[in-house]
Amino acid sequence: MNQLNHALSLEEKPRKIIRFNRRQSTLITILSGLALLTAIIAASFLMSDEAIKTHFEARNLSPSWQHFFGTDWLGRDMFTRTVKGLSLSIGIGLLASTVSVIVALILGMAAATLGKTVDTLISWLVDVFMGLPHLVALILIAFALGSGAKGVIIGVACTHWPNLTRIIRAEVLQLRTSQFVQVSRHMGKSRIWIAVQHLLPHLLPQFFVGLVLLFPHAILHEASITFLGFGLSPHQPAIGVILSESMNYLSVGMWWLAFFPGLSLLVVVRVFDMVGDNLRLMFDPHSAHE
Amino acid sequence: MFKRLSHLILAAMIILSLALASGCSSKADSASTKQKDELTVAIAGEPDDGFDPTTGWGEYGSPIFQSTILQWDKDLNVINDLATDYSVSKDGLTYLVNLRKDVKFTDGQALTAKDVVFTYQTAAANSSVFDLTNLKSVMAINDYSIEFTLKEAQSTFTSTLAKLGIVPQHAYSKDYSQKPIGSGPYKFVQWDKGQQLIVEANPDYYGAKPYIKKITFLYLTEEAAYAAAKAGQVDVASVVPSLALQDIPGKKLVAYKSVDNRGIMFPYVKAGNKTKEGDPIGNDVTSDIAIRKAINMAIDRKALVNGVLNGHGAPAYSVCDNLPWWNPETVLKDADQDGAKKILADGGWIDSDNDGILEKNGLKAKFTLVYPSGDSVRQSLAIAVSDEIKPLGINIEVAGKSWDDIKRLMHSDAIVFGWGAHDPLEMYNLFNSKYMGVDYFNAGYYSNPKVDDYMNKAMLSNNVTEADAYWKKAQWDGTTGFSALGDAPYAWLVNLDHLYYVSDNLDLGEQKVHAHGHGWPITDTIAQWHFTK
């Protein structure tokens, strides 16, 4: 008996350690993802500017313990530059996705509730923006606003709403035909009351998941537009700028200039993607209880 | 099993493609060594407006298709090209030029005085980079002599005669710039815009016959040119210092000294006014002489040369270092932080709120330094200078802008400019009060009556030694001048070396000190280029 118990407990113990339930593991993924991103932003504020000043005595160094990502042709520490660039990207991404989500929420609800004309107009707008190649629209806006950080931020912020608008519009259309909304309407509740009391709570999950899933898009677009030379000054530590600069030095064998910043960008984008997917798992009524 | 097979196939494909790639490159190698009288070069320098000298072609380096009336030898003495001799009247207003009689354009027609007259009249009407506003008239006296009459005496007019290529009147039309005809050492064959220019030796050339029969100029980006040189596909490639780190087998790295300088232009007047276009003029911080002098003194030019240019350059102290009209007294002792701090303190700049930045009457010692955003050398210089100056308590913010933006900012922000010409006229344009706000010239609105006076005297002189003496005084006469010792409207930083990867057995002739513009100026000696074995 004793032996049996012992065996049982042996069997159970490793189980307890390794296996979280689905909900827990989702939560852990989300939290560790968020922790990494906050760490990047915090680090960029804590790191002094000293490391990204010119240090002629430490030029073109390959990665070492002193300079994790090596140094560039002016002796600037690539690790610091990358972290600062990433945090700029995350900042722009945050702003852009917030703006996009709010725009999408307003337009999507307006399209679905304010009658046919408004719906046609907004659907047309969505079609126009989705028909235009995204990068072209971005470049147009950034250029029209006079290139610079402002142009990039506004450009990225103003071009990511159409997809989400469409989803929200469809969701609202579906909700409107549901029974509880019909009942409310027949009982004489105002449109706004219905929108706030019935529709919004159902849209919140879409809102948050949309917010997080827009992040990687916004970051990649920010990086590509700065890579193409629209937007920020070439000395600012934006990830696209760093990548496009380092292209010039690949042919002389300074691979670390492009490799580590590129890898970091990839990791950050992937982390956001993972956080978004897991958030959806938790929020989505169909999968929330798995 | 299937997985293994696919791995095998993949490995086989990789090996095959590697073999193919190496096969290709070795083919290219053998091609370039076999043909001894053909060259492929990648030295950039594609003109936007085609090859018409009357609209600016040939400003830098040789116009190669056309020939000029005069030219410079390697020590920058003026010698004849199309001319057999020339004379200047006593008052410096009239230039009389006699032409050689054996010169033919590549279409067989003779080059005569009427072509020269036509060229100068067309160029004057085009108001191009060749400034002919001072030319009153140009007249053919007979078929082979021409008389130029100037409005005011201009001792630098010989430079214009040495730069402006002569075009044929009979064959000049709207698309001349696309299909040039001239009397130069090479004739035009084909131009694929943005890709390549093909030229062949002119068999009727009146000068020493060029050795190389055919030259292909590839228009490649910096990195592509470097890669092509590495792969053995080009014989000459211009290369920026940051790429010139490695030895390429079969190639030597050649560095030509230049006056291709880089310096910081400071707005010289106080803020407040606007140009006709509405762009702001002046800057309250850089208009203070203590700021300009302190920066000039604190910059460590040798460190910039070693750091930014990998040692391929020299410290610059003026716009015309080592040219005949340069005043050597303008070399100053730099990298002197203490001296600079003293100048600032004497000038009334004190850090009263302990934020690391100096103030004077509530004005912070802070200004923006703009560099053209596509230029990696100027970008590095701007960043490095900003970091070198910060310990003084002057905060220089750098910003990369397009040339269009720079045109609007250059009267009110400091700019990293580059100059350097074989012609003291450039100095005149940069520092004469007449040229305040004209094009990129005196963008900072510098003016000093004494400097103006010296430079006018230099212009009026009809004798080179006397003119050079006045040019030197304009830089520094012991009390004032436009160099860093005097008013310091610029902080000159470095003179670039012009770097080229050149095939080991190729001789590019004796180059003179290069002017501004990296790449094309090397064609100056194009008729002397030859393989040594």
Side-chain angles (χ1 to χ4, degrees):
Chain A
M1 189 68 194
N2 246 350
Q3 257 186 340
L4 196 74
N5 261 347
H6 191 65
L8 263 178
S9 65
L10 259 182
E11 235 177 29
E12 268 189 86
K13 249 190 183 167
R15 253 193 182 175
K16 260 188 187 166
I17 294 168
I18 294 169
R19 273 208 196 162
F20 297 107
N21 66 35
R22 184 76 184 268
R23 198 179 178 78
Q24 282 168 325
S25 72
T26 314
L27 211 69
I28 287 171
T29 319
I30 293 173
L31 286 181
S32 47
L34 288 179
L36 176 71
L37 299 172
T38 6
I40 291 176
I41 296 179
S44 88
F45 281 110
L46 292 177
M47 281 175 166
S48 84
D49 280 341
E50 187 54 38
I52 53 171
K53 278 190 178 163
T54 48
H55 296 279
F56 287 139
E57 70 285 356
R59 281 183 305 142
N60 304 334
L61 296 180
S62 52
S64 64
W65 285 115
Q66 213 177 353
H67 302 283
F68 298 127
F69 290 5
T71 61
D72 64 7
W73 62 99
L74 287 177
R76 293 175 291 183
D77 180 43
M78 287 308 284
F79 180 68
T80 317
R81 289 189 83 203
T82 305
V83 169
K84 290 203 186 251
L86 282 177
S87 103
L88 180 83
S89 296
I90 293 174
I92 289 182
L94 187 71
L95 191 80
S97 42
T98 316
V99 170
S100 301
V101 165
I102 290 171
V103 170
L105 195 70
I106 293 170
L107 286 185
M109 283 188 48
T113 52
L114 292 183
K116 195 129 186 152
T117 337
V118 179
D119 186 30
T120 324
L121 188 79
I122 291 176
S123 300
W124 180 80
L125 253 180
V126 170
D127 286 343
V128 166
F129 264 89
M130 287 177 73
L132 205 65
H134 198 143
L135 211 55
V136 175
L138 256 178
I139 291 174
L140 267 178
I141 294 177
F143 195 70
L145 289 171
S147 47
K150 189 183 73 181
V152 175
I153 293 173
I154 297 180
V156 175
C158 291
T159 50
H160 283 86
W161 52 269
N163 277 317
L164 195 64
T165 305
R166 230 180 220 187
I167 294 171
I168 287 184
R169 172 176 165 272
E171 191 88 352
V172 174
L173 278 179
Q174 197 192 351
L175 283 172
R176 272 179 65 200
T177 54
S178 59
Q179 280 187 338
F180 56 93
V181 174
Q182 298 289 341
V183 169
S184 288
R185 182 175 302 163
H186 287 300
M187 289 175 80
K189 295 290 183 192
S190 72
R191 276 181 173 180
I192 295 176
W193 190 90
I194 294 175
V196 173
Q197 298 292 323
H198 285 322
L199 304 185
L200 257 187
H202 274 92
L203 294 177
L204 272 184
Q206 295 287 359
F207 182 88
F208 282 113
V209 174
L211 182 78
V212 178
L213 284 183
L214 271 178
F215 248 103
H217 276 266
I219 290 178
L220 282 180
H221 278 127
E222 182 266 340
S224 39
I225 197 172
T226 46
F227 179 82
L228 290 173
F230 295 92
L232 306 173
S233 257
H235 60 271
Q236 277 161 332
I239 207 84
V241 171
I242 293 176
L243 286 177
S244 71
E245 270 181 353
S246 48
M247 289 298 126
N248 301 343
Y249 296 88
L250 280 182
S251 49
V252 285
M254 289 159 71
W255 54 273
W256 59 90
L257 292 182
F259 178 75
F260 289 114
L263 191 72
S264 314
L265 179 67
L266 191 78
V267 167
V268 165
V269 167
R270 184 74 193 106
V271 164
F272 265 114
D273 214 33
M274 260 162 52
V275 170
D277 278 343
N278 283 304
L279 265 184
R280 193 171 59 207
L281 278 181
M282 285 192 45
F283 274 126
D284 193 341
H286 299 295
S287 58
H289 300 291
E290 280 173 17
Chain B
M1 183 63 208
F2 180 72
K3 216 174 182 182
R4 223 185 225 176
L5 195 72
S6 68
H7 277 181
L8 262 176
I9 296 175
L10 195 71
M13 274 168 67
I14 291 174
I15 291 170
L16 199 70
S17 61
L18 278 177
L20 271 176
S22 59
C24 285
S25 63
S26 64
K27 220 186 261 168
D29 271 337
S30 63
S32 68
T33 46
K34 207 167 59 188
Q35 295 148 345
K36 290 281 191 188
D37 52 0
E38 285 190 19
L39 272 186
T40 309
V41 300
I43 55 174
E46 183 176 33
D48 297 330
D49 307 326
F51 306 99
D52 182 355
T54 64
T55 59
W57 168 243
E59 184 195 8
Y60 302 121
S62 157
I64 76 170
F65 306 122
Q66 294 90 6
S67 34
T68 51
I69 294 178
L70 301 175
Q71 62 184 357
W72 289 288
D73 68 4
K74 70 176 177 40
D75 301 318
L76 290 174
N77 299 310
V78 172
I79 54 171
N80 296 326
D81 187 0
L82 285 172
T84 52
D85 64 285
Y86 75 97
S87 56
V88 190
S89 68
K90 268 235 171 78
D91 57 5
L93 287 176
T94 321
Y95 284 66
L96 186 70
V97 176
N98 291 315
L99 296 179
R100 328 169 44 123
K101 296 181 178 155
D102 56 348
V103 181
K104 282 198 169 94
F105 288 112
T106 47
D107 61 357
Q109 300 228 29
L111 186 152
T112 61
K114 75 176 180 11
D115 296 306
V116 176
V117 172
F118 173 76
T119 302
Y120 276 82
Q121 282 171 348
T122 314
N126 285 341
S127 59
S128 70
V129 289
F130 300 115
D131 185 8
L132 292 174
T133 44
N134 191 29
L135 183 65
K136 193 165 153 199
S137 71
V138 46
M139 227 169 33
I141 294 174
N142 58 43
D143 269 2
Y144 294 100
S145 17
I146 307 114
E147 190 183 78
F148 296 88
T149 314
L150 306 181
K151 290 176 191 155
E152 288 167 34
Q154 181 188 346
S155 59
T156 62
F157 189 67
T158 48
S159 305
T160 310
L161 294 176
K163 279 203 272 190
L164 184 54
I166 303 301
V167 302
Q169 185 175 18
H170 61 273
Y172 190 83
S173 61
K174 252 190 201 151
D175 60 349
Y176 176 83
S177 64
Q178 314 296 313
K179 291 190 185 73
I181 292 173
S183 53
Y186 281 87
K187 64 179 182 189
F188 177 86
V189 177
Q190 185 189 337
W191 179 30
D192 305 317
K193 271 193 190 173
Q195 295 171 32
Q196 60 175 358
L197 166 71
I198 302 175
V199 303
E200 271 174 13
N202 174 7
D204 302 327
Y205 184 53
Y206 55 88
K209 299 268 182 294
Y211 299 90
I212 309 288
K213 292 281 170 285
K214 181 181 169 195
I215 306 180
T216 306
F217 296 93
L218 299 178
Y219 298 126
L220 302 174
T221 59
E222 287 170 358
E223 306 86 57
Y226 175 76
K230 230 173 156 180
Q233 287 160 347
V234 296
D235 299 290
V236 183
S238 55
V239 58
V240 290
S242 55
L243 289 180
L245 301 170
Q246 293 175 340
D247 289 330
I248 298 181
K251 295 259 190 305
K252 55 195 170 189
L253 182 65
V254 182
Y256 292 113
K257 292 277 163 222
S258 81
V259 279
D260 189 355
N261 48 39
R262 297 289 180 267
I264 299 172
M265 187 280 304
F266 298 114
Y268 189 77
V269 289
K270 282 206 182 306
N273 283 326
K274 286 200 160 146
T275 61
K276 267 182 282 168
E277 292 81 26
D279 304 325
I281 298 174
N283 184 311
D284 288 334
V285 176
T286 61
S287 61
D288 192 306
I289 189 159
I291 295 275
R292 297 196 305 270
K293 284 210 156 186
I295 291 176
N296 256 303
M297 189 177 265
I299 292 170
D300 187 347
R301 292 173 174 80
K302 283 211 181 70
L304 293 179
V305 169
N306 291 328
V308 176
L309 305 178
N310 290 326
H312 299 302
Y317 300 99
S318 78
V319 66
C320 55
D321 286 6
N322 299 316
L323 296 182
W325 43 88
W326 174 52
N327 185 345
E329 287 170 38
T330 56
V331 175
L332 72 162
K333 187 179 161 285
D334 60 2
D336 183 359
Q337 294 267 342
D338 295 333
K341 278 184 184 146
K342 189 170 173 298
I343 290 178
L344 286 169
D346 292 347
W349 293 90
I350 303 152
D351 185 9
S352 46
D353 56 2
N354 281 322
D355 61 348
I357 299 171
L358 304 176
E359 293 94 28
K360 181 179 177 180
N361 305 329
L363 179 70
K364 289 228 176 254
K366 195 174 95 177
F367 64 92
T368 309
L369 175 61
V370 181
Y371 63 88
S373 50
D375 188 325
S376 60
V377 170
R378 294 192 208 195
Q379 176 193 344
S380 306
L381 285 174
I383 296 171
V385 167
S386 164
D387 288 343
E388 274 186 0
I389 294 305
K390 194 150 272 168
L392 288 185
I394 300 175
N395 186 12
I396 303 181
E397 286 169 12
V398 291
K401 301 277 181 188
S402 68
W403 279 112
D404 287 337
D405 289 335
I406 289 177
K407 265 189 190 162
R408 287 187 282 107
L409 296 170
M410 65 185 175
H411 307 304
S412 56
D413 284 324
I415 313 277
V416 186
F417 270 132
W419 301 97
H422 293 144
D423 185 349
L425 182 65
E426 179 181 68
M427 193 157 52
Y428 184 79
N429 291 341
L430 285 179
F431 299 111
N432 194 304
S433 55
K434 257 202 282 190
Y435 280 85
M436 288 198 289
V438 178
D439 295 333
Y440 290 111
F441 299 135
N442 193 348
Y445 284 72
Y446 172 69
S447 73
N448 179 339
K450 209 142 184 212
V451 168
D452 281 356
D453 186 45
Y454 282 132
M455 292 204 290
N456 287 336
K457 279 185 181 148
M459 277 299 224
L460 289 172
S461 155
N462 59 0
N463 149 353
V464 178
T465 334
E466 187 191 70
D468 284 352
Y470 281 122
W471 292 125
K472 286 177 189 172
K473 278 193 171 169
Q475 293 161 53
W476 179 244
D477 68 353
T479 51
T480 186
F482 63 71
S483 66
L485 299 173
D487 299 322
Y490 263 83
W492 296 102
L493 304 173
V494 293
N495 291 312
L496 312 180
D497 279 357
H498 286 167
L499 300 173
Y500 299 86
Y501 279 113
V502 181
S503 290
D504 275 337
N505 53 353
L506 184 65
D507 185 342
L508 295 181
E510 277 200 74
Q511 302 269 343
K512 58 186 171 234
V513 174
H514 281 197
H516 184 70
H518 180 186
W520 193 259
I522 199 179
T523 58
D524 196 51
T525 58
I526 198 163
Q528 301 172 29
W529 292 8
H530 63 277
F531 284 103
T532 49
K533 35 178 178 197

